[in-house]
Amino acid sequence: MSDGTGTEANGGASTDGDREPRDLRSDGGHAEDHHGLPPMSSVKRWFVTTNHKDIGILYLVTSLFFVVFGGLLALLIRTQMWTPGGTILSPQAYNQTVSIHGLVMVFWFLSPFAFGFANYVVPLQIGADDLAFPRLNALSYWLYLASGLLVGVSFFQGATFSGGWTMYAPLNVPMYMPEVGASTAVLALLLFVVSVTVSSVNFLTTMHRMRAEGLTLRRLPLFTWSILLTVWMMLFAFAALLAALMILSADRLLGTMYFVTESPGGSMLWTHLFWFFGHPEVYIVFFPALGVMAEIFQTFTGSRLIGRKWFIASMVLVALQSFIVWMHHMFLTTINLQIKTLFMATTIGISLPFDLMVFALIYTMLKGRIRFKTPFLFAFGGLIVFIVGGITGVFLGAVVLDYAMRGTYWVVAHFHYVMVAGVTALIGGLYYWFPKMTGRMYDEFLGKVQFGLYFLGFNLLYFPMFVAWETPRRVFDYPAELVGWHRIATVGGFLLGISFLVMFYNLYTSIWNGEEVDGNPWDFTHTAEWAVSSPPPLENFPGRATYKGGFLDFVDRVTTDGGEETSEGYRSPLSADGTGTRSDGGTSTGAPDGGVVTGGTGLPAQRDEGGGEMAVAHGEGPSHASIWPFATGVGAFVLLVGLSGFQSGAFPDGVAGGFYMGTSLAGGLITLGSLFAMGYEDFHAPEMAIAERWPFAGVENTKLGVWIFLASDVVLFGAFIGAYVFVRFSAGWTGWHIVPHNSLPGLINTYLLLTSSFTVILGMVAAEHESRKGLLACLTATLLLGIGFLINKGIEWVELLHEGIWLDASIEGATFFLTTGLHGAHVLAGLVITVYLMWRTWGGAYMGDEKPVEYFGLYWHFVDIVWLFLFPLFYIL
């Protein structure tokens, strides 16, 4: 496949391997290509790219920066622990260090590191050209980077967050943590969750609707399986965390009282919301590493994974069970013994599928012939570390033992043996796919040196913590008789840090001077990314990937003269002489109709049945460049820096207040303008004409994306409604003071929203019949009804304010205003989309193409349905 620049798709390797690095390529050229994507040597490339391989590299590089950040904080912790009651850091500085170390490692390193591989590898493994929504993929990265930068900013705003990575209430409210930087850290995490949600919608749509022909879910590679299940868990778990963070942000910025000491059940509410996310997060972090282990074990033992279908079934079972074990983090609370016993049983139960997966990996090693290369060493080391972490976790799953060990260094050691087991395997994945990404081989000797330092340092760091388990967590004072164990741990921490320096040196020098790799450096690989050049070409494959014959093959694409790929009349093989090479060493078949095989080689184009010209090529091809995701990330960063100064319902006085207010306004305008521009931009991301789409064969990509987003929104609203019900029961259901004293405004708003849903349906019909005036009239009616809803809601709020009822007046007011305010924000977002649709309709869009109106309708109907729950809950019951 030509990349549009005259160079070969194998990466255009430099002939001077000692002076210039081989491009981390996917474009093959040095000039801007026909899609407006600059070469990888250009800085501009990295700000405008939407290509999944580029985004994967950005995720990997950025996450490795954050592991250095978090690692330096960890070394500060270990230095403080050199002696009991250490004085390197003040108590406040120590709390900040511990808290941000945990937050950075869990959120800004572990998952993004795994999803760097997911971005790069998953589309290749499933035979897709890119993810379903390339610009959303870029947007998720820029929001991730913006959120990480916000954490850095928080250190310069008095003090950053210091309440531990679990952010327990009531320590997380302004009464105990009044610094602006603490609010910035909370907003940073909130933005990170938005990034995760955008990414989740994208990956789920891609993996369910863009798998190569013949690649059923049952036949998916194990790494892709692990990512699929991870993303489903992320979609729901992070939605619960988003609700918790939004409520916490309201407590800090608006003065609500969900989590303050006086609030009924406030601290328990935070614990429920956080751990409903927090325990699935353990598997969200570890599942990609499990997929990496499976791929590496198969490659370096030369054996198919033993019990593959049971391995997959176990992962599915764990993903489902992960949402019913969260209360084992709450054994020390006042939850009754029967519920604690139930969750002890579910905790022990979830370990059983892991036993099966561990034995499958062990038996695969026993059956195969192991080659002890660096990727395998790290994958095997990760398995050993995880076994220790799993066994020690069983202790904490027992209620009686948890009473003794909770809050001690036993938990710290167990937690790191589980989480860093994932890191260990992912480092193996970095070595495994490094040749694929760079076209260069790493230094094997240095890789093994790193593994030795890493494995020794890790176990010296964390195993002594099991022995010194009586040390209290998050406290730098401990009994003097434990000094020796803590000093061993500190030495181990520095050895672990040195191992990362060896890795960085190895990979950096290998990019410049490593042995060139054109294709596959490993024996016994079995996934599609190894069937193309290293690095892969821009659009991944020299044709369309297919598994229809039971093996991976490539057939020529057939496109219309408009550039869209068609599912009719495609031909095989790649070459014009009928002898194209199959990935398994055989040869491709001839044309299905027995006629002349046509490859994209300058041979005469064919004609489709309608007389239009068809060519075996990409035609216009997909777009790969857009500046607007980056601009949106900049806007979000500026907006949240400004909002961080809004404390307890107001900006501060003076110059600081003016700065924060102006920054908020500027950030909001940049964000909104960038989103509008991205929506209006001419960006081409075609669906695959032929693909496996079960179970969503009859749903377009965008519609499925909307449905998946709404699924996460169900959890978001469910968490808000659940928080209201929990707090109300804690306060006494019948003694609760219902805030809206009159149900009439709520009833009027119900009729307004139901009517607006009907006008959206009429608008969809008008677009289908190409009635521009009809569509404009329906959208205008929807806009006016929505504005009427907000005006009526505003009048009601003003009346309540005059009665002295507001967000910060009582917990009753906080729950009412915040939950209905969240719904109102959804209505406002819908009205902004309505204005955009009206603007495009005025210009002649959507005539005969009602799908954009239908997708908006799905969102608008969901907003209306939510109100049907809120109305009786807040106005009647």
Side-chain angles (χ1 to χ4, degrees):
M1 180 182 71
S2 172
D3 58 12
T5 60
T7 61
E8 293 182 354
N10 67 358
S14 168
T15 57
D16 189 354
D18 294 328
R19 297 184 183 175
E20 295 191 20
R22 189 172 189 179
D23 280 344
L24 306 181
R25 18 191 347 85
S26 47
D27 64 339
H30 300 284
E32 191 167 293
D33 74 2
H34 62 289
H35 302 300
L37 189 64
M40 298 187 80
S41 57
S42 168
V43 173
K44 179 183 175 182
R45 162 73 167 246
W46 302 101
F47 290 100
V48 302
T49 183
T50 64
N51 184 265
H52 73 96
K53 296 182 289 297
D54 295 346
I55 301 301
I57 291 171
L58 286 171
Y59 264 110
L60 287 172
V61 172
T62 306
S63 63
L64 288 173
F65 166 80
F66 282 113
V67 78
V68 173
F69 180 23
L72 290 174
L73 294 176
L75 293 180
L76 276 176
I77 295 170
R78 291 314 314 165
T79 304
Q80 180 84 349
M81 299 290 286
W82 184 258
T83 57
T87 57
I88 301 296
L89 299 170
S90 68
Q92 177 70 359
Y94 181 81
N95 287 339
Q96 293 177 60
T97 302
V98 170
S99 303
I100 298 302
H101 162 73
L103 288 169
V104 166
M105 287 301 203
V106 171
F107 293 105
W108 281 277
F109 167 59
L110 278 167
S111 288
F113 189 46
F115 271 79
F117 298 123
N119 266 278
Y120 201 102
V121 174
V122 165
L124 289 163
Q125 287 196 342
I126 67 174
D129 290 338
D130 208 319
L131 292 176
F133 310 111
R135 287 181 299 174
L136 290 188
N137 193 28
L139 178 62
S140 70
Y141 168 75
W142 291 114
L143 294 180
Y144 157 61
L145 178 59
S147 67
L149 294 176
L150 280 171
V151 174
V153 169
S154 70
F155 281 91
F156 301 94
Q157 293 178 299
T160 188
F161 195 87
S162 57
W165 84 272
T166 53
M167 308 172 79
Y168 282 144
L171 294 178
N172 54 15
V173 300
M175 180 185 299
Y176 299 101
M177 209 178 302
E179 296 85 2
V180 173
S183 296
T184 304
V186 172
L187 292 174
L189 189 52
L190 193 152
L191 185 60
F192 175 82
V193 176
V194 173
S195 165
V196 167
T197 303
V198 171
S199 180
S200 299
V201 170
N202 204 356
F203 269 91
L204 289 174
T205 303
T206 302
M207 287 186 281
H208 279 298
R209 282 197 39 88
M210 297 177 64
R211 304 189 305 275
E213 179 186 26
L215 187 61
T216 61
L217 285 176
R218 184 175 60 86
R219 299 173 67 185
L220 278 179
L222 288 170
F223 178 70
T224 297
W225 251 116
S226 72
I227 296 298
L228 178 63
L229 294 172
T230 298
V231 177
W232 273 116
M233 288 189 288
M234 289 169 66
L235 185 76
F236 299 118
F238 275 94
L241 179 61
L242 180 61
L245 292 170
M246 292 176 74
I247 295 172
L248 177 57
S249 297
D251 272 10
R252 297 193 62 86
L253 305 185
L254 303 177
T256 58
M257 297 187 296
Y258 272 83
F259 301 130
V260 296
T261 307
E262 296 79 8
S263 175
S267 60
M268 186 73 78
L269 172 63
W270 172 266
T271 311
H272 276 295
L273 289 173
F274 182 86
W275 285 117
F276 186 79
F277 147 80
H279 203 81
E281 169 67 1
V282 174
Y283 308 114
I284 287 169
V285 166
F286 189 72
F287 262 36
L290 199 60
V292 169
M293 285 185 201
E295 299 288 2
I296 291 176
F297 272 48
Q298 291 180 110
T299 296
F300 290 95
T301 63
S303 171
R304 181 181 172 88
L305 184 73
I306 303 299
R308 183 181 189 275
K309 65 180 180 180
W310 297 109
F311 191 93
I312 294 171
S314 297
M315 287 198 295
V316 173
L317 190 58
V318 168
L320 295 173
Q321 286 182 273
S322 68
F323 289 94
I324 56 172
V325 296
W326 82 92
M327 272 195 229
H328 71 221
H329 293 277
M330 304 167 66
F331 283 163
L332 268 62
T333 65
T334 56
I335 296 171
N336 67 57
L337 182 60
Q338 289 79 8
I339 293 179
K340 290 178 181 178
T341 304
L342 172 64
F343 276 82
M344 182 176 69
T346 60
T347 300
I348 294 172
I350 204 171
S351 67
L352 300 179
F354 274 112
D355 295 341
L356 191 151
M357 288 186 276
V358 168
F359 282 121
L361 293 170
I362 292 173
Y363 289 151
T364 301
M365 287 191 294
L366 293 175
K367 182 168 181 169
R369 177 175 294 178
I370 300 173
R371 288 167 296 135
F372 290 94
K373 298 290 186 180
T374 300
F376 177 82
L377 289 174
F378 274 98
F380 181 58
L383 179 62
I384 293 174
V385 169
F386 176 72
I387 290 172
V388 175
I391 292 172
T392 55
V394 172
F395 288 79
L396 298 170
V399 175
V400 176
L401 290 176
D402 190 67
Y403 270 79
M405 295 177 170
R406 180 68 60 184
T408 71
Y409 258 51
W410 183 279
V411 178
V412 177
H414 154 71
F415 183 75
H416 283 86
Y417 263 88
V418 173
M419 302 294 269
V420 186
V423 177
T424 308
L426 290 173
I427 292 174
L430 182 60
Y431 280 108
Y432 181 60
W433 282 305
F434 180 81
K436 172 56 56 183
M437 297 177 181
T438 65
R440 297 275 187 176
M441 195 51 143
Y442 62 86
D443 186 290
E444 183 67 38
F445 173 76
L446 287 179
K448 290 178 177 177
V449 168
Q450 192 221 341
F451 173 75
L453 290 171
Y454 180 99
F455 201 71
L456 176 62
F458 172 85
N459 286 285
L460 283 178
L461 171 57
Y462 292 113
F463 198 82
M465 295 181 187
F466 287 123
V467 183
W469 69 273
E470 292 176 297
T471 306
R473 293 179 68 186
R474 306 188 183 100
V475 175
F476 53 85
D477 200 6
Y478 54 88
E481 59 267 22
L482 301 178
V483 168
W485 295 112
H486 280 286
R487 290 187 174 178
I488 292 172
T490 299
V491 171
F494 278 90
L495 274 178
L496 187 62
I498 291 170
S499 77
F500 277 93
L501 295 179
V502 174
M503 182 185 77
F504 292 139
Y505 174 79
N506 186 1
L507 299 184
Y508 178 76
T509 56
S510 296
I511 289 174
W512 290 81
N513 301 316
E515 179 185 351
E516 292 190 3
V517 175
D518 283 329
N520 182 6
W522 313 120
D523 296 326
F524 308 117
T525 55
H526 56 284
T527 49
E529 74 270 26
W530 300 108
V532 294
S533 59
S534 297
L538 180 65
E539 289 166 15
N540 291 349
F541 301 107
R544 180 173 61 80
T546 176
Y547 290 83
K548 188 176 182 180
F551 50 82
L552 175 61
D553 197 3
F554 299 104
V555 297
D556 287 334
R557 306 171 191 266
V558 178
T559 62
T560 64
D561 53 1
E564 291 288 346
E565 187 178 350
T566 176
S567 61
E568 301 297 330
Y570 67 86
R571 268 162 288 278
S572 176
L574 300 176
S575 61
D577 60 5
T579 59
T581 302
R582 265 186 3 212
S583 63
D584 62 354
T587 56
S588 299
T589 57
D593 58 2
V596 177
V597 178
T598 322
T601 56
L603 296 178
Q606 306 299 307
R607 295 273 170 181
D608 65 12
E609 294 178 358
E613 184 177 81
M614 301 178 68
V616 186
H618 281 286
E620 294 178 359
S623 304
H624 294 288
S626 174
I627 192 62
W628 300 116
F630 167 72
T632 304
V634 171
F637 172 79
V638 175
L639 172 63
L640 293 186
V641 167
L643 289 180
S644 66
F646 193 81
Q647 300 289 309
S648 300
F651 285 109
D653 296 328
V655 176
F659 168 78
Y660 283 121
M661 187 182 300
T663 304
S664 300
L665 180 61
L669 291 174
I670 294 171
T671 303
L672 189 61
S674 299
L675 290 173
F676 260 85
M678 189 159 60
Y680 189 69
E681 183 180 37
D682 183 17
F683 190 92
H684 188 54
E687 293 192 26
M688 293 172 63
I690 304 173
E692 293 292 334
R693 310 191 196 280
W694 187 89
F696 301 107
V699 185
E700 305 91 16
N701 282 2
T702 306
K703 181 186 283 189
L704 180 59
V706 172
W707 278 117
I708 292 171
F709 166 74
L710 293 180
S712 72
D713 227 17
V714 167
V715 177
L716 176 66
F717 274 105
F720 268 82
I721 293 171
Y724 166 74
V725 172
F726 181 87
V727 173
R728 184 168 176 177
F729 267 116
S730 299
W733 187 272
T734 56
W736 186 267
H737 300 290
I738 298 177
V739 169
H741 308 304
N742 186 353
S743 61
L744 182 60
L747 184 62
I748 293 172
N749 273 345
T750 302
Y751 285 122
L752 287 172
L753 283 185
L754 289 176
T755 306
S756 69
S757 273
F758 182 65
T759 59
V760 172
I761 294 173
L762 292 178
M764 189 172 66
V765 174
E768 186 178 2
H769 289 82
E770 301 186 24
S771 172
R772 186 166 71 96
K773 291 183 179 180
L775 178 55
L776 277 173
C778 293
L779 290 174
T780 301
T782 303
L783 179 68
L784 294 176
L785 289 166
I787 291 174
F789 174 92
L790 293 179
I791 291 174
N792 188 40
K793 174 62 66 179
I795 293 172
E796 180 187 29
W797 281 18
V798 169
E799 290 178 352
L800 291 171
L801 180 59
H802 286 162
E803 295 177 18
I805 302 173
W806 189 233
L807 282 161
D808 55 357
S810 65
I811 185 60
E812 292 92 345
T815 55
F816 171 74
F817 285 111
L818 199 60
T819 307
T820 58
L822 174 66
H823 177 267
H826 277 70
V827 173
L828 181 61
L831 296 183
V832 171
I833 298 172
T834 304
V835 171
Y836 174 79
L837 292 174
M838 292 172 65
W839 174 45
R840 295 297 309 276
T841 302
W842 185 267
Y846 313 132
M847 294 300 96
D849 179 18
E850 74 282 359
K851 289 180 181 178
V853 182
E854 179 187 1
Y855 304 150
F856 165 69
L858 292 174
Y859 171 83
W860 193 254
H861 301 328
F862 169 78
V863 172
D864 295 353
I865 291 171
V866 169
W867 181 254
L868 295 180
F869 284 91
L870 297 185
F871 171 61
L873 192 63
F874 283 100
Y875 288 84
I876 298 176
L877 296 179

